[in-house]
Amino acid sequence: MTAAAGDTADPPDLRTVRLPSGKRVPALGQGTWHMAENPRRRRAEIESLRMGLDLGCTLIDTAEMYADGRAELLVGEAIEGRREEVVLVTKVLPSHASRRGTIAACEASLARLGTDRIDLYLLHWRGSVPLEDTVDAFTRLSDAGKIRYWGVSNFDVDDMIELAGLAGGDDVATDQVLYNLERRGIEFDLMPWCLARRIPVMAYSPMGQGRHLGHPALRTVAARRGVTPAQVALAWVLRSDGVIAIPKAGSAAHVRENRVAADLHLTEDELTLLDRVFAPPRAKQQLAIL
Ligand code: NAP
């Protein structure tokens, strides 16, 4: 038997990543995009999230956008009775991110999630609302105890610099961005910029939405280690300190498999092999988004 799936032994404690506040969160969380879209998958999705909590993947990422709020409802159901275990992350749409709109969106998310506090509230991407208005709303929500920390998503370096220059802007707790073997552009500038300021990067679509898992290089490394390509892809994203990965898994088997990946350390030879196929950036690339 390999370390891939069905490993029933107690896993070692999950590695954590430090937010700028000092709070530690698990390096491996759980995504929820496309959950709550198909009623027939609902039970399996809730069980997956609960299995993830059992395995220590207590950071759950969702958004008001996902399934038009139904993903937040599903998360609320999954974490019922377990709220204190969870680092709850959700996002406000840019079209709602005005001073008043952010507060109204937050209240609606809290109601759907069945809680009185969001741990990390993110601006989903940058829209036309001035950033200072959103930051002001985040600060007020934080003062009111409705959110603990706030951050951004899909911000490139120039956006981060602008944000850091605003009053209260340096309270940003994370930038959630696309990062996987095929999307390495952030390694050139955004990742070093964030990590130098101790702002963790939260990697979304860490397995490329499953699309590159059939790649021969991944399969080669996986076969040599007796693990799956998905585990190699996830271990690769998690190889750097200061990176949090939030794969979405719709089955308990996938969740277990992903949890094992958090303890998989790729060797220098394996990393070199992957670099040959999935080349690191040599110049600035515009931030890739989904
Ligand atoms: P992803 O996590 O890279 O990939 C999800 C896909 O991988 C699903 O099809 C899933 O299938 C499959 N999968 C999961 N575990 C697997 C395993 N062990 N073996 C084989 N396949 C596996 O992509 P994502 O959902 O786009 O990204 C993750 C999360 O990031 C999202 O759910 C969302 O929370 C967040 N996100 C944020 C943004 C943003 O703009 N901020 C954008 C995109 C995503 P099953 O469902 O069958 O398990």
Side-chain angles (χ1 to χ4, degrees), residues 18-244:
R18 194 180 169 282
L19 298 183
S21 65
K23 177 168 174 65
R24 303 204 73 96
V25 301
L28 179 64
Q30 307 187 73
T32 62
W33 194 22
H34 298 310
M35 284 191 180
E37 290 179 357
N38 180 342
R40 277 176 296 170
R41 291 203 301 261
R42 185 178 179 83
R43 182 188 292 262
E45 289 167 351
I46 289 177
E47 279 171 9
S48 303
L49 290 172
R50 289 186 181 152
M51 165 67 69
L53 296 184
D54 293 342
L55 296 177
C57 306
T58 52
L59 184 148
I60 297 182
D61 176 76
T62 190
E64 64 168 338
M65 186 187 90
Y66 299 164
D68 285 330
R70 295 193 309 283
E72 289 184 326
L73 283 170
L74 184 144
V75 169
E77 194 176 327
I79 67 173
E80 203 178 338
R82 305 184 67 169
R83 174 67 187 95
E84 294 313 313
E85 294 171 49
V86 179
V87 179
L88 195 49
V89 185
T90 192
K91 314 183 196 81
V92 58
L93 279 166
S95 54
H96 291 166
S98 62
R99 282 190 162 87
R100 276 190 179 178
T102 303
I103 288 167
C106 180
E107 297 284 3
S109 286
L110 287 169
R112 284 189 292 267
L113 290 161
T115 185
D116 58 3
R117 188 191 76 244
I118 290 161
D119 295 302
L120 188 46
Y121 198 36
L122 309 182
L123 173 59
H124 208 148
W125 65 90
R126 202 171 168 181
S128 56
V129 172
L131 265 185
E132 49 264 49
D133 292 4
T134 311
V135 171
D136 182 67
F138 283 158
T139 305
R140 284 198 283 149
L141 284 168
S142 171
D143 290 345
K146 305 218 164 165
I147 66 174
R148 288 187 75 180
Y149 310 109
W150 63 264
V152 292
S153 178
N154 298 303
F155 270 40
D156 208 341
V157 178
D158 51 351
D159 300 309
M160 291 302 282
I161 291 171
E162 190 179 330
L163 177 65
L166 299 177
D170 54 1
D171 285 338
V172 60
T174 192
D175 188 9
Q176 183 182 114
V177 289
L178 179 62
Y179 184 52
N180 59 48
L181 272 163
E182 284 182 322
R183 298 292 191 173
R184 298 184 61 170
I186 64 166
E187 288 173 28
F188 186 78
D189 54 353
L190 180 63
M191 190 183 268
W193 191 93
C194 288
L195 299 187
R197 288 158 185 79
R198 299 183 187 278
I199 299 168
V201 168
M202 196 179 289
Y204 75 68
S205 307
M207 294 182 299
Q209 302 196 298
R211 288 194 197 109
H212 58 234
L213 299 183
H215 196 287
L218 267 181
R219 291 163 73 105
T220 300
V221 174
R224 283 186 198 157
R225 293 294 292 265
V227 298
T228 67
Q231 288 175 312
V232 174
L234 204 46
W236 181 88
V237 168
L238 287 169
R239 74 198 184 290
S240 318
D241 286 337
V243 175
I244 301 162

